[in-house]
Amino acid sequence: AQTVTQSQPEMSVQEAETVTLSCTYDTSENNYYLFWYKQPPSRQMILVIRQEAYKQQNATENRFSVNFQKAAKSFSLKISDSQLGDTAMYFCALSNFGNEKLTFGTGTRLTIIP
Amino acid sequence: DAGVTQSPTHLIKTRGQQVTLRCSPKSGHDTVSWYQQALGQGPQFIFQYYEEEERQRGNFPDRFSGHQFPNYSSELNVNALLLGDSALYLCASSLDPAYGYTFGSGTRLTVV
């Protein structure tokens, strides 16, 4: 079985600051994918960033980057220069190679303060 | 380019009734998955369809069933509704799930 844990139910940060959301996971597989999804009040899950476990280089998408520590099974999301539009629930998710269901954490509610 | 479309957006049903939720995947996507998201929780995997066959199933009872049509659209059926089935039901589609899924805005089901 695979599990994903997000230990920060809520976070808030001032606009333009940097914030890091934490995620740990457990899987017995060696090949897997990790994702961060954003869910604004509109309810639609939006893919923020993706990491392949066999790649050591941390993924980056504009203001969003990850710190992937495979041995520690840790996958944190850093948001730089935070914007009001970043306010949302953020979910960490895992899927094993060949088993494509997503296992989600319980989410972190991020509020960007003007 | 339309993304994933789900209907209806909201639905209220009575215990014991049956419900059908519908999903049109993003253009070109052939894999469709359904998730249940209870209030304040992360989504839980229900099942996945590919080439009109159920390919994987999560820990949900047989009251939850689905179908995928030749045009890749999908339906989720829930029989004998329970109060605990109240949740947001999300549909997600993909061409290659390794690259992640595109989600719809969901159907909010309330069972009274």
Side-chain angles (χ1 to χ4, degrees):
Chain A
Q2 55 200 56
T3 60
V4 176
T5 301
Q6 293 179 252
S7 58
Q8 305 155 311
E10 294 189 31
M11 295 188 72
S12 60
V13 66
Q14 293 288 137
E15 190 177 5
E17 291 186 346
T18 295
V19 61
T20 299
L21 309 183
S22 300
C23 172
T24 58
Y25 61 91
D26 191 26
T27 177
S28 57
E29 301 295 325
N30 194 46
N31 291 326
Y32 51 88
Y33 306 95
L34 292 160
F35 306 88
W36 278 98
Y37 280 89
K38 165 185 176 181
Q39 188 177 39
S42 66
R43 307 184 320 200
Q44 184 179 16
M45 287 277 191
I46 300 166
L47 179 61
V48 174
I49 200 164
R50 167 186 173 271
Q51 175 80 41
E52 297 168 353
Y54 60 87
K55 289 188 175 179
Q56 293 186 344
Q57 185 173 6
N58 289 323
T60 299
E61 289 287 343
N62 301 313
R63 298 184 294 107
F64 299 88
S65 61
V66 298
N67 184 2
F68 174 48
Q69 302 290 328
K70 190 172 183 179
K73 294 185 176 177
S74 170
F75 183 61
S76 61
L77 174 69
K78 185 171 82 171
I79 305 174
S80 303
D81 185 27
S82 57
Q83 300 174 0
L84 297 179
D86 295 333
T87 292
M89 283 291 291
Y90 285 80
F91 290 95
C92 179
L94 162 74
S95 71
N96 289 323
F97 178 77
N99 180 352
E100 296 145 353
K101 73 171 188 178
L102 287 168
T103 298
F104 287 87
T106 52
T108 296
R109 183 178 301 280
L110 176 65
T111 302
I112 308 301
I113 303 166
Chain B
D1 175 29
V4 176
T5 304
Q6 291 187 243
S7 63
T9 55
H10 296 84
L11 201 54
I12 300 175
K13 288 287 190 178
T14 304
R15 275 179 300 174
Q17 285 188 318
Q18 179 264 345
V19 68
T20 297
L21 311 182
R22 295 176 175 82
C23 172
S24 294
K26 183 176 179 178
S27 178
H29 287 185
D30 57 5
T31 302
V32 174
S33 297
W34 287 92
Y35 290 81
Q36 180 195 65
Q37 186 177 18
L39 198 61
Q41 300 295 318
Q44 298 290 316
F45 175 76
I46 303 176
F47 42 53
Q48 181 185 83
Y49 278 85
Y50 174 71
E51 292 189 343
E52 303 179 54
E53 295 288 331
E54 182 182 289
R55 188 156 67 173
Q56 281 193 82
R57 188 178 183 90
N59 294 324
F60 280 81
D62 292 344
R63 299 186 297 108
F64 289 77
S65 63
H67 189 77
Q68 186 179 35
F69 299 94
N71 66 352
Y72 306 129
S73 67
S74 178
E75 289 181 350
L76 164 65
N77 301 292
V78 187
N79 294 322
L81 284 167
L82 305 174
L83 295 180
D85 295 332
S86 295
L88 179 67
Y89 288 85
L90 295 167
C91 175
S93 72
S94 177
L95 182 58
D96 183 349
Y99 289 87
Y101 285 86
T102 300
F103 282 80
S105 296
T107 295
R108 172 75 66 192
L109 173 64
T110 302
V111 182
V112 297

